[in-house]
Amino acid sequence: MEYQEILYEIEDRILTITLNRPDKMNAFTVRMFNELMDAFDQADADDSVRAVIVTGAGRAFCAGADLSMGAATWDGDDSTFDFDISKGDTGGRLTRRIFDCTKPVIAAINGSAVGVGLTMTLAMDMRLVSNKAKLGFVFAARGIIPEACSSWFLPRLVGISQALEWVYSARIFNGEEALRAGLVRSVHEPEEVYVEARKLALEIAVNTSAVSVALARQMMWKMLGADHPVEAHKLDTRGIFALGASADAKEGIESFLEKRTPNFTDTVTKNMPDFYPWWKERDYE
């Protein structure tokens, strides 16, 4: 796919996806959705990518849905978002795709993020935010409801009471409030957000096994829906037995004993354990 509304750049085993409509504050469109879906497909297929950073061009991260069509934004055949109820809303399809990604995903929220501009980050693993950013789950103030599976993600990140306060009030809040609630990892000057995100991504890329991280990511996210710790115990046991015999496990021990940086060679596309994926795929029906 030829990208027009995002940038896709790989450096030092880190993929940076940049929302690239700076003149529109990177407002979300169907074109951007399709490009992001393709970008995450490419990231999963490329073993040279060890971590993904999502950020925005210009002064905003994402101002939410493109509302340039006014009242027709959500309305039938003229909708900006080409709704197909048989597939689900685009925000939800995007967060479900990120949820299934095999690579760690870091949101470098360099500026304001509201609506889908914020809910799309909830399926990412860590969020770093600018101290100048305005954040908000503004749906009730637009006469709609939170989308992008945020009713599942948000309470798990910040608790039900805080999630409901932000959603009910539809108010704008800042990075410090987001930090206190646990929504973001850290708050930085605008020019430092991406720099700090790269430091975090490099720490992952240099020091860890791609297969270990991919498996751990899915274990952590998928276990959020488990009804008893024994489900995690069963999964842990299968994972330890499978990965314990791997080349990366041998390298992990040898590099530790030799006090050197590990050179892991197993890849996500070729060396995931036989029991992966262990979950039943859930269709949208």
Side-chain angles (χ1 to χ4, degrees), residues 44-284:
D44 271 351
D46 187 348
D47 287 322
S48 73
V49 172
R50 288 296 324 280
V52 180
I53 298 174
V54 181
T55 193
R59 61 190 179 92
F61 177 77
C62 177
D66 188 329
L67 303 179
S68 58
M69 292 185 65
T73 297
W74 316 105
D75 187 19
D77 293 338
D78 294 327
S79 168
T80 303
F81 291 98
D82 187 27
F83 280 136
D84 182 345
I85 199 166
S86 69
K87 296 180 181 178
D89 73 276
T90 50
R93 289 158 66 189
L94 176 58
T95 53
R96 287 175 57 207
R97 179 63 190 84
I98 297 170
F99 179 72
D100 287 333
C101 186
T102 59
K103 312 297 170 72
V105 185
I106 302 168
I109 305 174
N110 57 297
S112 294
V114 299
V116 70
L118 189 52
T119 58
M120 75 163 72
T121 73
L122 301 182
M124 301 179 194
D125 301 302
M126 289 148 272
R127 285 157 295 282
L128 290 72
V129 67
S130 163
N131 58 13
K132 303 294 193 299
K134 296 179 179 179
L135 311 172
F137 300 98
V138 298
F139 306 97
R142 306 292 183 267
I144 55 172
I145 49 103
E147 37 61 86
C149 307
S150 54
S151 60
W152 191 90
F153 286 105
L154 186 58
R156 284 168 168 78
L157 292 171
V158 302
I160 187 65
S161 183
Q162 180 64 80
L164 291 175
E165 178 187 335
W166 281 338
V167 168
Y168 289 169
S169 67
R171 66 178 170 81
I172 300 298
F173 56 96
N174 62 21
E176 290 298 335
E177 181 174 343
L179 180 63
R180 290 193 298 271
L183 180 63
V184 302
R185 170 193 180 270
S186 50
V187 182
H188 307 273
E189 292 293 333
E191 64 274 13
E192 292 297 316
V193 175
Y194 179 74
V195 174
E196 292 300 318
R198 271 193 65 84
K199 289 180 183 177
L200 185 56
L202 276 170
E203 189 174 8
I204 297 168
V206 170
N207 296 318
T208 65
S209 158
V211 172
S212 296
V213 169
L215 191 57
R217 184 179 199 270
Q218 294 306 317
M219 290 169 67
M220 292 286 187
W221 276 113
K222 299 301 191 284
M223 281 297 107
L224 287 177
D227 62 355
H228 193 280
V230 72
E231 298 304 323
H233 190 193
K234 290 187 289 186
L235 186 55
D236 297 345
T237 301
R238 296 169 78 183
I240 287 292
F241 272 79
L243 268 59
S246 70
D248 276 5
K250 179 180 179 181
E251 171 62 11
I253 293 171
E254 290 181 350
S255 62
F256 171 74
L257 294 175
E258 295 168 8
K259 296 181 173 57
R260 59 175 173 80
T261 301
N263 179 29
F264 293 118
T265 56
D266 286 344
T267 64
V268 173
T269 60
K270 296 178 181 177
N271 300 111
M272 293 297 278
D274 291 341
F275 68 85
Y276 177 90
W278 65 88
W279 62 90
K280 181 181 179 182
E281 292 292 344
R282 300 287 291 273
D283 294 328
Y284 180 89

